[in-house]
């Protein structure tokens, strides 16, 4: 299919929604002299960004944490890849597929700040981290440390290893409002014994948005001979960092979240000297023990989605890493600062700017989280997700770069009304 045929096909299916145009390029040129923090408050610029999205008008979407739907520019590229792969069929799968995958890995590794020999594309964070948990050669009595705030799928995987191999899972609790990094590090440190083999920690806790001091935790654990696996599901393409700077041994994330790749892609990072000892979940004798690709044998996969990773990275870098992080933090603090100290409103996310970014969690003391989420949607047309755990009771609020302050004003008014 040539370019002209593709354009006709897109138009015929009603998907020819304009992506970024001259308006965005002009807006982008204007903010080149601004700091990311200044641009974060530039509503004119983010209005141009918003025009690149097709947004459902039925509600204010403040639940982007599960899945950040793709902007039109990325979506159109995705559809093009689907059509192209369908046009070429097995010829593509047997010829170009592997070279394209190699290039995608390199592009992702450059974004992640690690070697492409330490990174593979997976389907999501759960698959990535479960690959590590299942790949360790556990012995009865071995210990693993994790927090009750960690994602349920990984906690379940550790429970499975406990049933299968007799390992001991030690679960700590991370405070919503720590006094210092050292308080958080100490909580994990106290759980470590000579039998501890692995410590799992969230880069950004999914239910509260709390950013943990990963480097300090890794340094502490390594001083005791313990490996560290980081759940970065919500951090990747949300905050700006390099995996190599974190000092961890394993790192997993989902690309359909803040990088806005279509559903079904994630990454797994394994430090080079840790690869050889990991058992793969599926048999593949085609790679050496120290080749991370041995962990990636999951059969035929939707390669058109993998190809779209490159397009999503281009979109992300067009916005700018620092600009995106600054905007997401600005949006979170825009609404949290208006309600944080009000009676009956409970903020489950730290107030310190360096401890959070775009995600926050809020509750009404007199309402169950499910009732709050239901009321917000039915009465105020604000879409959120309820979180009801022993340590966090409220709704998780996750705006995206297309979210406006006017939409957040609607949400703030709803909270103030419900609190009284």
């Amino acid at each position: 299919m040539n370019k002209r045929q593709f354009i006709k096909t897109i138009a015929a299916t009603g998907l020819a929604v304009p992506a970024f145009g001259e308006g965005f390029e002009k807006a982008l040129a204007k903010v080149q002299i601004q700091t990311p923090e200044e641009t974060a408050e530039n509503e004119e610029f983010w209005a141009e960004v918003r025009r690149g999205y097709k947004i459902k008008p039925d509600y204010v979407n403040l639940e982007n944490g599960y899945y950040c739907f793709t902007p039109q520019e990325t979506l159109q590229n995705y559809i093009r890849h689907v059509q192209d792969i369908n046009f070429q069929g097995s010829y593509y799968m047997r010829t170009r597929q592997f070279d394209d995958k190699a290039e995608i890995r390199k592009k992702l590794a450059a974004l992640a700040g690690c070697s492409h020999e330490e990174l593979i594309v997976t389907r999501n964070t759960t698959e990535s981290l479960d690959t590590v948990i299942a790949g360790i050669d556990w012995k009865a009595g071995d210990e693993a440390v994790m927090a009750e705030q960690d994602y349920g799928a990984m906690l379940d995987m550790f429970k499975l290893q406990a049933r299968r191999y007799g390992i001991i899972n030690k679960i700590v609790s991370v405070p919503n409002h720590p006094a210092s990094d050292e308080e958080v590090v100490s909580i994990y440190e106290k759980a470590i014994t000579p039998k501890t083999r692995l410590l799992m920690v969230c880069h950004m806790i999914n239910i509260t948005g709390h950013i943990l001091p990963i480097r300090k935790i890794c340094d502490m654990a390594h001083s005791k001979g313990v490996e560290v696996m980081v759940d970065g599901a919500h951090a990747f393409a949300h905050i700006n960092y390099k995996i190599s700077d974190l000092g961890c041994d394993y790192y997993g994330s989902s690309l359909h979240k803040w990088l806005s790749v279509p559903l079904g892609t994630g990454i797994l990072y394994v430090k080079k000297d840790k690869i050889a000892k990991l058992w793969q979940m599926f048999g593949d004798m085609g790679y050496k023990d120290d080749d991370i690709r041995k962990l990636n044998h999951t059969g035929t996969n939707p390669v058109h989605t993998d190809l779209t990773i490159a397009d999503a990275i281009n979109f992300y870098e067009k916005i700018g890493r620092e600009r995106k992080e600054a905007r997401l933090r600005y949006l979170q603090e825009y609404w949290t600062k208006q309600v944080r100290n009000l009676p009956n409103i409970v903020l489950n996310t730290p107030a310190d700017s360096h401890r959070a970014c775009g995600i926050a969690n809020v509750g009404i003391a007199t309402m169950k989280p499910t009732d709050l989420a239901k009321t917000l949607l039915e009465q105020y047309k604000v879409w959120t997700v309820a979180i009801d755990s022993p340590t966090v009771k409220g709704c998780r609020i996750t705006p995206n770069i297309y979210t406006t302050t006017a939409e957040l004003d609607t949400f703030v008014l709803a909270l103030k009304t419900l609190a009284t």
Side-chain angles (χ1 to χ4, degrees), residues 142-396:
D142 287 344
E143 295 179 355
V145 174
M146 63 213 70
E148 63 176 316
Q149 290 81 12
D150 286 324
Y151 193 61
M154 272 63 80
L155 293 176
D156 284 347
M157 192 63 170
F158 276 110
K159 291 176 184 176
L160 184 62
Q161 307 316 303
R163 287 174 54 189
R164 186 175 185 183
Y165 299 110
I167 74 170
I168 298 170
N169 297 322
K170 303 186 72 173
I171 300 177
V172 303
S173 185
V174 179
N176 294 336
H177 304 282
S180 65
D181 288 350
E182 287 65 37
E183 180 185 355
V184 177
V185 175
S186 177
I187 289 169
Y188 284 99
E189 185 174 16
K190 289 176 181 177
I192 292 176
T193 76
K195 294 183 179 181
T196 306
R197 293 191 60 185
L198 182 68
L199 185 155
M200 177 173 71
V201 61
C202 280
H203 196 166
M204 183 183 293
I205 295 177
N206 85 92
I207 55 178
T208 64
H210 185 177
I211 300 172
L212 300 187
I214 298 300
R215 182 70 201 214
K216 292 180 180 180
I217 293 171
C218 289
D219 288 347
M220 175 277 296
H222 289 158
S223 73
K224 299 178 180 298
V226 176
E227 295 181 341
V228 181
M229 179 179 74
V230 178
D231 178 347
H234 284 276
F236 196 75
H238 183 157
I239 56 176
N240 189 24
Y241 62 96
K242 293 181 179 179
I243 291 178
S244 56
D245 290 339
L246 300 176
C248 60
D249 303 287
Y250 313 100
Y251 194 100
S253 188
S254 294
L255 304 182
H256 60 256
K257 293 188 183 294
W258 299 98
L259 190 59
S260 296
V261 179
L263 288 166
T265 54
I267 58 168
L268 170 62
Y269 160 87
V270 180
K271 192 174 180 181
K272 185 65 175 175
D273 61 0
K274 305 294 181 180
I275 298 171
K277 69 173 185 175
L278 274 185
W279 288 96
Q280 58 260 51
M281 293 177 68
F282 302 99
D284 188 342
M285 299 296 106
Y287 297 106
K288 295 180 179 180
D289 286 343
D290 62 352
D291 190 327
I292 194 172
R293 290 175 293 177
K294 73 177 185 181
L295 304 173
N296 211 194
H297 187 75
T298 54
T300 306
N301 69 304
V303 291
H304 48 267
T305 307
D306 289 355
L307 290 172
T308 314
I309 293 172
D311 303 306
I313 292 175
N314 291 340
F315 182 91
Y316 173 53
E317 293 188 327
K318 191 181 297 184
I319 297 296
R321 304 184 193 192
E322 293 83 4
R323 289 193 197 100
K324 181 174 181 179
E325 177 178 348
R327 177 61 174 180
L328 290 175
R329 181 173 284 109
Y330 170 75
L331 290 173
Q332 178 262 122
E333 294 185 345
Y334 177 87
W335 73 264
T336 55
K337 286 181 178 179
Q338 295 186 62
V339 301
R340 186 173 289 277
N341 298 314
L342 295 183
N344 292 328
I345 292 183
V346 181
L347 260 297
N348 297 303
T349 301
D352 296 336
S353 288
H354 69 284
R355 297 193 192 281
C357 192
I359 300 174
N361 185 294
V362 64
I364 302 294
T366 55
M367 296 183 72
K368 293 181 179 180
T370 51
D371 292 338
L372 175 57
K374 186 173 185 290
T375 302
L376 284 171
L377 181 60
E378 292 181 353
Q379 295 187 22
Y380 299 95
K381 304 302 179 185
V382 175
W383 171 239
T384 65
V385 60
I387 304 294
D388 194 346
S389 74
T391 60
V392 178
K393 296 185 182 297
C395 288
R396 186 182 69 180

Side-chain angles (χ1 to χ4, degrees), residues 34-48:
Q34 295 181 340
T35 66
E37 291 71 27
E38 290 171 335
T39 303
E41 300 182 38
N42 187 334
E43 298 303 324
E44 181 181 350
F45 174 76
W46 297 106
E48 288 296 335

